[in-house]
Amino acid sequence: MSPPLRLVLDGDALVTNWRALALQSGDARCGAAVKADGYGLGAIEVVRRISAAGCQNFFVAHWQEALALFGVVPAQQISVLNGFAIEDLQAVQNSGAIPVLNTPKQIAAWKGAGGGLCHVMLDSGINRLGIGPEQISAELFAGLQIDILMSHLACADEDAVQNVAQQRIFAQITSAISHKQRSLANSAGIMLGRDYHYDLTRPGLSIYGGIARSEMAAFIRPVVQIEACVLQIRQHKAGDPIGYNATYRCEQDMPVATIALGYADGYRRSFSSLGMARFEGAELPVLGRVSMDLVTLDSRAVPHLAEGDWVTVDYDLAGAASVSGASQYELLTGLSQRYRRIWR
Ligand SMILES: *Cc1c(COP(=O)(O)O)cnc(C)c1O
């Protein structure tokens, strides 16, 4: 049985986006953040495609996410951003994937176990995860074999003075620590210019079609399309209430179509009465509340719409984010496992 909802994923757009970000990265090489199952699209399929396009650095958050990619790309191309639990040290070393060390305790444990190639996250001002400037000492890093020395920008999607401040701190603290390569920029950070590129960039969102900064709309293509099956169409009378809490009442006698999509699929409840679906180009506005597994649509514009037809649901990320109040990141990573994911 095949699911009544699907994500149609444009593999060509995915690769084109990654290549465009690589081009914008100038002399730096371009990696890819593929955590959270490739931002909801499916990490294996994402990694397979951008690896074939030349990407050699893949960033995940958890070890389980690294394990899922073994056999897809060489283990040493996978970096685990969240570090490791001390009790997993042996398994981490055996895995061949590279941990990003985030705390003095992790660094000490890594050295104690004989070290080996590692990455280090320095906190240049996001104050979230990583070695803070006050924790840095020559002794801390002595004997460590650091491949990528990295930091993460807090406000790259804005023109904030903090960007410049973080870039300066990063330049300064990394000059005293031995390393093979440096990396600072996420998707938005790439657009801040060459001072932010260093040796390697780490975009995520914009590979998947997200517009991290408005100027990226010129070259980033959408990757994700949501399609859902019409489960029922009924003719209602003027005044009939639709859905939970009767937040919509029919303006006139009219057809209402119910589709197999809901907030459990990441189609946020905030699209209630605001979202839009389409069939053969005609608009089918969302009526009333989005339920867990169902959405009701005004189907007056398509009198011939029938049970079993598939509608496309508007999910242009920048637009959908402003309609729903959710971030583009949430709109992608919330996409449920119930969709059939179809790569075109
Ligand atoms: C998620 C993440 C990225 C990618 O960020 P985007 O904004 O999605 O491009 C890069 N670096 C780190 C450390 C991250 O956590």
Side-chain angles (χ1 to χ4, degrees), residues 90-311:
Q90 194 62 57
V92 165
Q93 281 199 307
N94 292 340
S95 77
I98 319 258
V100 178
L101 309 183
N102 292 299
T103 68
K105 195 173 167 190
Q106 283 174 12
I107 291 179
W110 190 251
K111 282 190 200 169
L117 208 59
C118 63
H119 308 316
V120 169
M121 177 64 79
L122 300 171
D123 196 319
S124 57
I126 191 170
N127 294 330
R128 185 181 69 168
L129 182 64
I131 309 280
E134 80 289 356
Q135 295 180 303
I136 291 177
S137 66
E139 192 194 1
L140 180 65
F141 297 109
L144 211 53
Q145 261 184 274
I146 302 174
D147 178 4
I148 308 171
L149 203 46
M150 69 182 85
S151 191
H152 192 55
L153 296 164
C155 320
D157 56 339
E158 304 171 73
D159 293 319
V161 290
Q162 189 173 332
N163 294 326
V164 183
Q166 284 196 252
Q167 191 275 337
R168 284 193 187 137
I169 290 170
F170 185 62
Q172 191 210 328
I173 58 185
T174 55
S175 64
I177 303 168
S178 90
H179 60 267
K180 287 194 182 153
Q181 33 182 355
R182 288 186 286 183
S183 175
L184 179 61
N186 60 350
S187 301
I190 291 171
M191 304 311 290
L192 298 179
R194 52 178 306 178
D195 286 352
Y196 293 79
H197 294 161
Y198 293 94
D199 304 299
L200 174 71
T201 58
R202 311 185 305 270
L205 183 70
S206 295
I207 300 175
Y208 311 105
I211 309 299
R213 289 178 60 97
S214 56
E215 61 266 37
M216 301 175 101
F219 61 88
I220 292 297
R221 287 168 51 190
V223 178
V224 177
Q225 181 171 302
I226 292 180
E227 295 180 0
C229 193
V230 175
L231 301 176
Q232 184 179 36
I233 296 174
R234 281 175 60 203
Q235 302 297 325
H236 290 289
K237 295 282 181 223
D240 282 355
I242 303 295
Y244 281 121
N245 306 103
T247 61
Y248 178 82
R249 283 182 191 273
C250 293
E251 289 164 12
Q252 58 179 142
D253 293 0
M254 60 189 274
V256 173
T258 302
I259 58 171
L261 178 70
Y263 59 76
D265 303 301
Y267 190 70
R268 318 264 306 195
R269 198 161 164 278
S270 47
F271 286 113
S272 297
S273 299
L274 292 173
M276 182 71 76
R278 285 166 208 274
F279 185 78
E280 294 173 350
E283 295 186 340
L284 307 165
V286 171
L287 293 181
R289 288 272 156 87
V290 171
S291 306
M292 187 185 296
D293 320 295
L294 299 168
V295 169
T296 36
L297 303 173
D298 176 349
S299 64
R300 278 177 289 186
V302 198
H304 58 283
L305 187 72
E307 275 179 39
D309 282 341
W310 288 76
V311 300

